[in-house]
């Protein structure tokens, strides 16, 4: 388990730094990466996020970092797509529309992350308030004995409840 976490951090840190470098380079119009490269890096980060959730690792900072990195790659893919397909130079040129799309989609991604955090907190709060199942299960022999007795029982699936009293 210890090596698993180290490998995750070894992969996560360069992916996060690369996303930030690509974000700055696209914003400044220094270097526009290909959509395929960004997609591969996003899928690697999404895979790390899936492993994080699947292993039930309760590290909020790591979860938010992975989620933010996936969001940055998604924003970059959309902005690079807009940059590649933009033809109208009358109002905005390619660099201006790329900057505008980066800003707009980054705000949208940030808002989506906040919604995710609030939904997760609300889910955990509601899940903690639920009552535990107090019904008891019976064996086949006990079930036959209950069926042969004169008492009245409700059959709810395969669970029997005895009358209180």
């Amino acid at each position: 388990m210890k090596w698993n976490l180290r490998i995750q951090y070894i992969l996560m840190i360069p992916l996060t730094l690369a996303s930030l470098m690509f974000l700055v380079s696209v914003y400044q119009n220094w270097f526009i990466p290909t959509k395929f490269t960004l997609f591969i890096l996003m899928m690697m980060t999404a895979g790390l996020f899936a492993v994080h959730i699947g292993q039930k690792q309760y590290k909020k900072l790591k979860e938010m970092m992975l989620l933010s990195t996936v969001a940055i790659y998604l924003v970059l893919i959309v902005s690079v797509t807009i940059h590649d397909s933009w033809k109208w130079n009358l109002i905005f040129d390619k660099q201006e529309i790329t900057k505008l799309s980066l800003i707009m989609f980054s705000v949208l991604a940030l808002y989506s992350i906040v919604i995710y955090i609030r939904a997760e907190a609300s889910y955990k709060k509601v899940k903690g308030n639920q009552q535990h199942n107090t019904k008891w299960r019976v064996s086949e022999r006990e079930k036959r004995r209950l069926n042969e007795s004169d008492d009245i029982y409700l059959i709810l699936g395969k669970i029997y409840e005895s009358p209180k009293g």
Side-chain angles (χ1 to χ4, degrees), residues 133-144:
N133 190 358
T134 59
K135 297 176 181 159
W136 48 275
R137 300 188 185 274
V138 294
S139 65
E140 289 295 321
R141 191 174 85 194
E142 186 70 18
K143 185 177 168 183
R144 274 182 271 140

Side-chain angles (χ1 to χ4, degrees), residues 29-161:
N29 201 28
W30 293 334
F31 173 70
I32 307 294
T34 64
K35 293 175 278 193
F36 184 71
T37 304
L38 294 172
F39 179 75
I40 295 297
L41 294 173
M42 181 184 76
M43 295 315 293
M44 288 174 63
T45 309
L48 284 175
F49 183 73
V51 167
H52 173 78
I53 296 297
Q55 290 181 347
K56 294 182 173 52
Q57 299 171 1
Y58 299 107
K59 296 183 180 175
K60 275 299 209 195
L61 180 63
K62 181 180 173 190
E63 183 176 347
M64 289 305 113
M65 204 166 146
L66 286 170
L67 194 60
S68 300
T69 305
V70 170
I72 289 171
Y73 280 124
L74 194 59
V75 166
L76 284 169
I77 289 171
V78 171
S79 296
V80 168
T81 303
I82 290 172
H83 179 269
D84 291 344
S85 63
W86 189 256
K87 303 285 187 227
W88 303 330
N89 289 332
L90 230 46
I91 300 172
F92 296 113
D93 61 347
K94 280 187 172 192
Q95 290 78 25
E96 291 172 344
I97 197 67
T98 304
K99 284 183 181 182
L100 183 66
S101 66
L102 273 174
I103 292 169
M104 286 176 42
F105 287 114
S106 295
V107 168
L108 183 65
L110 182 66
Y111 181 68
S112 299
I113 291 171
V114 169
I115 288 174
Y116 173 81
I117 293 168
R118 294 202 53 194
E120 189 178 48
S122 175
Y123 171 75
K124 286 182 180 177
K125 188 187 298 183
V126 169
K127 187 178 176 186
N129 288 339
Q130 291 178 351
Q131 294 180 357
H132 298 288
N133 190 358
T134 59
K135 297 176 181 159
W136 48 275
R137 300 188 185 274
V138 294
S139 65
E140 289 295 321
R141 191 174 85 194
E142 186 70 18
K143 185 177 168 183
R144 274 182 271 140
R145 188 187 67 73
L146 290 173
N147 284 336
E148 293 169 359
S149 70
D150 292 335
D151 295 334
I152 298 174
Y153 294 96
L154 293 176
I155 299 176
L156 305 171
K158 293 185 178 182
I159 299 174
Y160 286 81
E161 279 190 37

